[in-house]
Amino acid sequence: QQQVKQSPQSLIVQKGGISIINCAYENTAFDYFPWYQQFPGKGPALLIAIRPDVSEKKEGRFTISFNKSAKQFSLHIMDSQPGDSATYFCAARITRAGSYQLTFGKGTKLSVIP
Amino acid sequence: KAGVTQTPRYLIKTRGQQVTLSCSPISGHRSVSWYQQTPGQGLQFLFEYFSETQRNKGNFPGRFSGRQFSNSRSEMNVSTLELGDSALYLCASSLVGMVGGNSPLHFGNGTRLTVT
């Protein structure tokens, strides 16, 4: 019941194109939805995050769209660049007595080709 | 501000041994969480510590344990290692949590544990 489903597993996009990664969740107790970017040999780094009372959040080329009724959210990367090639994880956070616990999707490996 | 620091970066252990991993959180962060990352299972929550107390625990066997010191530094211990424990172990720190709060988790670069 705390699962977060992420798709696609891998994605190849041409430079300048739009990358779209989708996630769906079940647990309505999730209170925060971050996206993390991970490069090989590094830990996940927070990219952008949204709260469930907001339908869209944009930071530079990165946009999260959030559909609370459908329990779905997605990451859009505009004008994708080769430097964006990384693995992206969506996550959903549950808060219990001040403790934050993230449930992650399985990840999407993005390759941006020149 | 220095990020989350994990040591060592790499470890090779033999089945049956035990291992201790270390994590220093971002200065001022009092919450430390541990996650296991494997290709098959992805990122999975192990446990979270705050003020030297474990507040939350994931679905891992009792061989996985941890502790937090008064300076917020944390250690994770795995006893009686199994081949399946080979993974990247990630530590993350955050400020004290509130429902709906925007304090994110900041991850270190992990310790790569290989069990042979």
Side-chain angles (χ1 to χ4, degrees), chain A residues 48-99:
Chain A
I48 187 173
I50 197 167
R51 291 169 49 169
D53 54 351
V54 176
S55 61
E56 185 175 283
K57 184 174 182 181
K58 184 176 181 180
E59 288 183 2
R61 297 184 294 109
F62 301 92
T63 300
I64 301 177
S65 297
F66 190 86
N67 186 329
K68 189 174 181 177
S69 60
K71 294 189 233 174
Q72 295 175 347
F73 58 111
S74 61
L75 175 69
H76 294 231
I77 306 174
M78 312 299 286
D79 187 26
S80 299
Q81 299 297 312
D84 297 331
S85 297
T87 300
Y88 292 81
F89 295 92
C90 64
R93 188 188 75 185
I94 197 160
T95 306
R96 289 194 183 101
S99 171

Side-chain angles (χ1 to χ4, degrees), chain A:
Chain A
Q1 64 273 24
Q2 291 195 334
Q3 199 174 14
V4 175
K5 295 182 180 178
Q6 182 173 347
S7 63
Q9 195 172 1
S10 63
L11 182 60
I12 300 174
V13 172
Q14 286 225 300
K15 180 182 174 181
I18 302 174
S19 304
I20 301 175
I21 304 170
N22 300 300
C23 286
Y25 64 97
E26 293 293 327
N27 191 344
T28 55
F30 289 135
D31 62 1
Y32 186 68
F33 299 85
W35 285 87
Y36 283 84
Q37 179 190 56
Q38 187 176 30
F39 292 103
K42 299 290 187 181
L46 180 67
L47 192 62
I48 187 173
I50 197 167
R51 291 169 49 169
D53 54 351
V54 176
S55 61
E56 185 175 283
K57 184 174 182 181
K58 184 176 181 180
E59 288 183 2
R61 297 184 294 109
F62 301 92
T63 300
I64 301 177
S65 297
F66 190 86
N67 186 329
K68 189 174 181 177
S69 60
K71 294 189 233 174
Q72 295 175 347
F73 58 111
S74 61
L75 175 69
H76 294 231
I77 306 174
M78 312 299 286
D79 187 26
S80 299
Q81 299 297 312
D84 297 331
S85 297
T87 300
Y88 292 81
F89 295 92
C90 64
R93 188 188 75 185
I94 197 160
T95 306
R96 289 194 183 101
S99 171
Y100 288 155
Q101 177 179 339
L102 291 177
T103 300
F104 285 87
K106 293 289 191 186
T108 297
K109 186 172 182 180
L110 172 64
S111 299
V112 181
I113 55 177

Side-chain angles (χ1 to χ4, degrees), chain B residues 13-81:
Chain B
K13 291 287 186 179
T14 304
R15 217 167 23 167
Q17 288 186 315
Q18 75 166 18
V19 67
T20 299
L21 313 180
S22 181
C23 171
S24 294
I26 291 172
S27 178
H29 286 192
R30 297 167 63 190
S31 170
V32 174
S33 303
W34 289 88
Y35 286 79
Q36 181 196 63
Q37 185 174 23
T38 59
Q41 298 300 316
L43 284 142
Q44 292 186 287
F45 173 74
L46 279 156
F47 31 63
E48 186 259 358
Y49 286 86
F50 176 79
S51 289
E52 303 176 63
T53 300
Q54 185 183 91
R55 294 195 298 186
N56 197 3
K57 184 171 168 38
N59 295 324
F60 279 82
R63 299 185 297 106
F64 292 82
S65 64
R67 60 177 175 168
Q68 186 181 34
F69 302 94
S70 58
N71 61 358
S72 295
R73 193 177 69 84
S74 177
E75 288 182 346
M76 189 191 105
N77 184 274
V78 187
S79 63
T80 319
L81 283 166

